Amino acid sequence: MSSEGFLKEIQAIGEKFLLKLQKLPKAETVEIVSFSVVLLFIATVLVLTIIACSCCCYSCCGCDGRPDSRHRKSQVSPAAH
């Protein structure tokens, strides 16, 4: 997919989202609740992704950006009988 196609898709999704937000005050209770649940799910996934990425970067690089030598993996050889 080209970058123009991707931008058009994002714009279309944004327009649908704005249209849904505009119709929300007149919507039924079930629609409002379902829309809220979908938004809550999306927000939860984004927050958990950010937390996972930041924890991974923190354990890998440390606060100062240098690799932490304490977390280096060591190679284990099989024991000879």
Side-chain angles (χ1 to χ4, degrees):
M1 178 181 271
S2 67
S3 62
E4 286 183 24
F6 180 72
L7 289 176
K8 286 182 181 179
E9 280 293 319
I10 296 295
Q11 184 178 7
I13 291 171
E15 288 174 359
K16 288 178 186 177
F17 182 73
L18 285 176
L19 184 65
K20 190 73 168 172
L21 281 177
Q22 289 171 351
K23 292 181 179 179
L24 202 58
K26 301 172 200 158
E28 294 179 17
T29 308
V30 175
E31 287 181 279
I32 294 172
V33 170
S34 62
F35 188 72
S36 300
V37 167
V38 169
L39 284 181
L40 182 64
F41 175 75
I42 292 171
T44 303
V45 168
L46 288 175
V47 167
L48 290 176
T49 303
I50 290 170
I51 290 171
C53 289
S54 64
C55 287
C56 180
C57 287
Y58 181 77
S59 67
C60 192
C61 301
C63 288
D64 54 1
R66 295 181 312 193
D68 192 358
S69 62
R70 293 178 292 163
H71 295 291
R72 207 177 293 161
K73 293 182 180 177
S74 60
Q75 199 78 17
V76 178
S77 302
H81 291 277

